[in-house]
Amino acid sequence: RLRLHDGKLIKDRRYHLRTYPNCFVAKELTDWLVDHKEAPDRETGIRLLQKLMDHYIIHHVCDEHSDYKDAKLLYRFRKDDGTFPLSKDVKVFLRGQSLYEKLVSVEGSVLKVREENSVKYQRTFLGCEMIDWLVQEGEVENRKDAVELGRALLEHGIIQHVSNRHHFFDSELLYQFWINFRRRRRLTELLNENSSRALSESPDSPFCLRKLNPDPGNTSFLSVQTNKEIKIVSAVRRSSITSLTGTSNPYFSPTPVLVFPPVAECNPKSVLKRPVTNEELLSPGAPYIKKTLTIVGDAVGWGFVVRGGRPCHIQAVDPGGPAAAAGMKVCQFVFSVNGMYVLHLDYQTISSLIMTGPRTLVMEVMEAIE
């Protein structure tokens, strides 16, 4: 956006006796993306700009077109007309960017290269030092507010504990900025993002259901509940190397598709005896122990069901599946997935992380001490 302003592609334009401030011509911007190597061809450029529309970053000046057309039509960045939606997520991201820029531009910054357990980490800081700095600079009113800000930054993936084992605390634990805001990003990175929207309507976590008695003409999966009651639900099938190489195999689909028939919702009742909060799980002396499970998925998944959110819990485990073999049990809470802290996420997002990750799944779970 700023480069387009500098290059005068964004400017006031007149159309049908009306002046539209701070807008650009769609066809000219597509040309610019290709000319400046931001897109390899026009088709990719159009897909990129459609992504910006889908994320409410640009829009047609009169909102008459919901898609991006490579034509002589006028579009505008929402930040230029005040219609950019400042959701909580966006506000936290912008706050993190602002703090990062301020920290890297001052002398004697708390951001330093530090070493822990013989491993060097970039852009690190001690939790207590960051809190001191936030209070001294007037970024927050008190240490409690600083801790809340630090926790929000961690939960949005902007900072993290260097070994991803702790939430943010006023302590000498070592943290780092996970996002390097100074790195120049290419617009094409948008096309590599994985979307979890397809999972939002699912009544259960589809990655975990295992196929029983496989039949080439039957795409149903069985989900095992704790009360041994079995209900049918259609689910995603995980691709295999054979399907990707063109070998015909009815048990795999190279492009997973979620299809949920109008059947009774699987696992409607939580197995938890009572709700548990993140604060309760993470409080010092809490009666929970952390376990690391390495689960090697088989042809159709990992064999467990995740439900809930903030924190998520294990709702059901297939007794004959990979998860059960790795030691997974119902009522465990999901702490991390493949090294990513996930206590603050819902089960749809965790589903997406697992579905798009490697077949060998490393999960940290928290289990109540008997």
Side-chain angles (χ1 to χ4, degrees):
R1 170 175 158 268
L2 297 177
R3 292 167 69 194
L4 295 176
H5 273 288
D6 291 340
K8 305 300 181 186
L9 260 75
I10 294 179
K11 59 185 180 181
D12 295 353
R13 298 176 185 269
R14 193 168 179 80
Y15 182 72
H16 283 181
L17 303 179
R18 180 178 174 183
T19 299
Y20 296 90
N22 293 322
C23 59
F24 58 86
V25 178
K27 187 176 183 302
E28 291 180 6
L29 182 50
T30 311
D31 293 337
W32 185 92
L33 289 176
V34 176
D35 292 343
H36 287 76
K37 311 297 185 198
E38 290 288 347
D41 49 57
R42 297 191 75 81
E43 181 183 355
T44 304
I46 294 168
R47 288 171 59 209
L48 286 168
L49 293 164
Q50 184 61 51
K51 270 277 190 180
L52 296 185
M53 288 199 72
D54 294 342
H55 286 76
Y56 303 100
I57 293 171
I58 63 174
H59 67 126
H60 181 257
V61 291
C62 298
D63 290 320
E64 293 177 353
H65 302 280
S66 59
D67 54 353
Y68 181 84
K69 298 183 182 298
D70 187 24
K72 290 185 177 180
L73 294 173
L74 299 181
Y75 291 80
R76 183 186 290 131
F77 278 84
R78 290 187 177 275
K79 287 200 77 172
D80 284 330
D81 62 11
T83 60
F84 183 66
L86 285 174
S87 65
K88 180 184 177 182
D89 290 345
V90 172
K91 288 179 180 178
V92 172
F93 182 87
L94 294 176
R95 185 73 187 279
Q97 182 180 32
S98 172
L99 291 173
Y100 183 86
E101 292 294 343
K102 191 171 180 179
L103 283 163
V104 297
S105 62
V106 298
E107 291 186 13
S109 172
V110 297
L111 291 190
K112 295 173 183 170
V113 177
R114 290 181 172 91
E115 186 174 310
E116 184 170 286
N117 296 329
S118 302
V119 179
K120 285 189 176 181
Y121 297 95
Q122 304 287 329
R123 304 181 294 278
T124 69
F125 56 89
L126 299 178
C128 55
E129 287 185 354
M130 175 61 78
I131 289 175
D132 290 341
W133 182 84
L134 289 170
V135 174
Q136 290 168 8
E137 294 296 316
E139 292 286 344
V140 294
E141 291 187 3
N142 51 56
R143 300 186 77 83
K144 180 183 176 183
D145 290 348
V147 171
E148 290 180 0
L149 174 57
R151 289 185 162 237
L153 294 175
L154 187 143
E155 290 172 3
H156 284 76
I158 295 169
I159 66 173
Q160 69 167 20
H161 178 255
V162 289
S163 58
N164 212 14
R165 294 181 181 277
H166 301 281
H167 211 309
F168 185 78
F169 293 102
D170 185 357
S171 68
E172 293 192 358
L173 290 171
L174 189 60
Y175 301 87
Q176 69 179 152
F177 269 87
W178 182 239
I179 297 178
N180 180 2
F181 290 99
R182 289 288 179 96
R183 181 176 74 83
R184 184 175 181 270
R185 289 164 174 77
R186 297 193 65 80
L187 202 57
T188 49
E189 291 180 32
L190 283 175
L191 297 180
N192 297 324
E193 286 189 341
N194 294 307
S195 173
S196 60
R197 290 182 185 179
L199 300 169
S200 61
E201 300 301 321
S202 85
D204 224 317
S205 300
F207 60 82
C208 57
L209 305 178
R210 294 170 47 77
K211 190 162 188 173
L212 304 180
N213 303 319
D215 177 355
N218 184 354
T219 60
S220 294
F221 287 71
L222 297 179
S223 172
V224 183
Q225 294 185 349
T226 52
N227 60 5
K228 306 303 180 185
E229 180 183 359
I230 294 178
K231 295 183 180 179
I232 303 270
V233 69
S234 180
V236 65
R237 288 174 290 179
R238 188 174 175 84
S239 340
S240 72
I241 295 174
T242 53
S243 69
L244 297 176
T245 54
T247 305
S248 177
N249 188 328
Y251 303 135
F252 300 105
S253 168
T255 306
V257 178
L258 302 182
V259 182
F260 295 96
V263 296
E265 183 174 284
C266 149
N267 298 327
K269 186 176 180 180
S270 173
V271 295
L272 299 179
K273 294 180 180 178
R274 62 178 183 81
V276 176
T277 65
N278 284 341
E279 289 72 20
E280 184 178 344
L281 280 177
L282 298 170
S283 62
Y288 295 93
I289 56 173
K290 191 187 296 181
K291 293 184 176 180
T292 301
L293 309 178
T294 301
I295 309 167
V296 181
D298 62 11
V300 290
W302 292 269
F304 64 96
V305 175
V306 167
R307 292 307 297 255
R310 305 176 182 87
C312 287
H313 64 274
I314 304 302
Q315 175 76 5
V317 180
D318 181 351
M328 180 172 284
K329 302 175 183 176
V330 296
C331 296
Q332 290 173 333
F333 295 95
V334 185
F335 183 86
S336 72
V337 173
N338 293 328
M340 181 176 178
Y341 174 85
V342 296
L343 278 182
H344 59 292
L345 301 178
D346 55 30
Y347 80 85
Q348 291 101 330
T349 307
I350 292 179
S351 300
S352 179
L353 285 173
I354 295 175
M355 284 290 292
T356 57
R359 175 165 291 195
T360 298
L361 173 64
V362 179
M363 289 180 63
E364 286 183 299
V365 296
M366 299 188 73
E367 179 181 308
I369 300 172
E370 295 295 338

